[in-house]
Amino acid sequence: MDERDELQQVVAQVLEYARFYREMGVTDIADIGALPPVAVSSTIAPELTRPDLRQQDSAAEPAARPAPRESLSMPGKSTSKAPAPPPNLPGQTSVAYMTKVPTPPPLLPLPVVSSPTVGLQTQSEATTETLEDIRRDLGDCKRCKLWSTRTNIVFGEGNPTATLMLVGEAPGADEDQAGRPFIGRAGQLLTRMIESIELSRDEIYIANVLKSRPPDNRNPERDEMLACRPFLLRQIAVVRPKLIVTLGNPATQALLDTKVGITRMRGIFHDYPYVDGIRVLPTFHPAYLLRSPDKKREAWEDLKKVRDFLKQL
């Protein structure tokens, strides 16, 4: 079903509800709260029997009322008298004494429309594809302009069933030459960071948002992120780690769909939005720590949270 069909389905659902309220005698959206209380059926829309709406109706009833009439009775229910309804609103049919109260149309599930910036919908079941399937699908990728300047695609490496996954933004010069993630100066620091929490690179999975190196290690551009991110999301769905540590702004913003900067995001656990049961902890990129060694203390605090999280599993 394409997006046009899904939109038509939503419109059809709205029209069904409009027809339902028209049958109830509602001619204006403001009239819904003025409907009298109904005690004849539990299938009436909950909005019509909420306590706060009943209280509003009671306050609005006139002092003088017509004589009460017999209420409709349900099997096993009391046949006590029901108060007569207040005068009808213009064009409104009395509800409490209708011989048959229309049942609202069944609520259709709202469609989940995949955004080009998302690439995947939320998954609760494990995917059947493998990392090898994704790599074959990626191929000699030319989905963005970076193919013309790269040397090698840097797909990712590590334990395909890792509990911990690290995600950076893009390969650097050393990674571009070797086709492996995080092997330059920043990668060497990252390895020491991993070892400081009693793990090795073989135990985790490492990948980047971009699979091709941007010229001069510039920040990823939007079109490059849109082209490459779906492959990263598929990698995450296959590995299904318990925790993803995002390294720096681009990786954090790509996975959490946020524009908030890393300084405010780091050190805080977030729910990963595309696969159930995965947490995300942003921290500084090791390349940034090389330029700003005074931030290493904060990064170490984040790493201790990673260590404690994994020990609790």
Coordinates of all heavy atoms in Angstrom, one line a residue, residues 169 171-173 213-219:
E169 N 30.2 8.3 12.8 CA 29.6 9.1 11.7 C 30.0 8.6 10.3 O 29.2 8.5 9.4 CB 29.8 10.6 11.9 CG 31.3 11.0 11.8 CD 31.4 12.5 12.1 OE1 31.3 12.9 13.2 OE2 31.7 13.2 11.1
P171 N 33.8 7.0 7.8 CA 35.2 6.5 7.8 C 36.1 7.7 7.6 O 35.7 8.8 7.0 CB 35.2 5.6 6.6 CG 33.8 5.3 6.2 CD 33.0 6.4 6.7
G172 N 37.3 7.6 8.2 CA 38.4 8.6 7.9 C 39.3 8.1 6.8 O 39.0 7.1 6.1
A173 N 40.5 8.7 6.7 CA 41.4 8.4 5.6 C 41.9 7.0 5.8 O 42.0 6.2 4.8 CB 42.5 9.4 5.6
R213 N 33.8 7.6 2.8 CA 34.5 8.7 3.4 C 34.1 10.0 2.8 O 34.2 10.1 1.5 CB 36.0 8.5 3.4 CG 36.7 9.7 4.1 CD 38.2 9.7 3.6 NE 38.9 10.9 4.2 CZ 40.0 11.4 3.8 NH1 40.6 10.8 2.7 NH2 40.6 12.4 4.4
P214 N 33.6 11.0 3.5 CA 33.4 12.3 2.9 C 34.8 13.0 2.7 O 35.8 12.8 3.5 CB 32.7 13.1 4.0 CG 32.1 12.1 4.9 CD 33.1 10.9 4.9
P215 N 35.0 13.8 1.6 CA 36.2 14.4 1.3 C 36.7 15.3 2.5 O 35.9 16.0 3.1 CB 35.9 15.3 0.1 CG 34.8 14.6 -0.5 CD 34.0 14.0 0.6
D216 N 38.0 15.2 2.8 CA 38.6 16.0 3.9 C 37.9 15.7 5.2 O 38.0 16.6 6.1 CB 38.6 17.5 3.5 CG 39.3 17.8 2.2 OD1 40.4 17.1 2.0 OD2 38.8 18.6 1.4
N217 N 37.3 14.6 5.4 CA 36.6 14.2 6.7 C 35.6 15.3 7.1 O 35.4 15.5 8.3 CB 37.7 14.1 7.8 CG 38.6 12.9 7.6 OD1 38.2 12.0 6.7 ND2 39.7 12.8 8.3
R218 N 35.0 15.9 6.2 CA 33.9 16.9 6.5 C 32.7 16.2 7.1 O 32.6 14.9 7.0 CB 33.5 17.7 5.3 CG 32.9 16.9 4.2 CD 32.1 17.7 3.2 NE 31.7 17.0 2.0 CZ 30.8 16.1 1.9 NH1 30.1 15.8 3.0 NH2 30.5 15.5 0.8
N219 N 31.8 16.9 7.7 CA 30.6 16.3 8.3 C 29.7 15.8 7.2 O 29.7 16.3 6.0 CB 29.8 17.4 9.0 CG 30.5 17.7 10.4 OD1 31.2 17.0 10.9 ND2 30.2 18.9 10.9

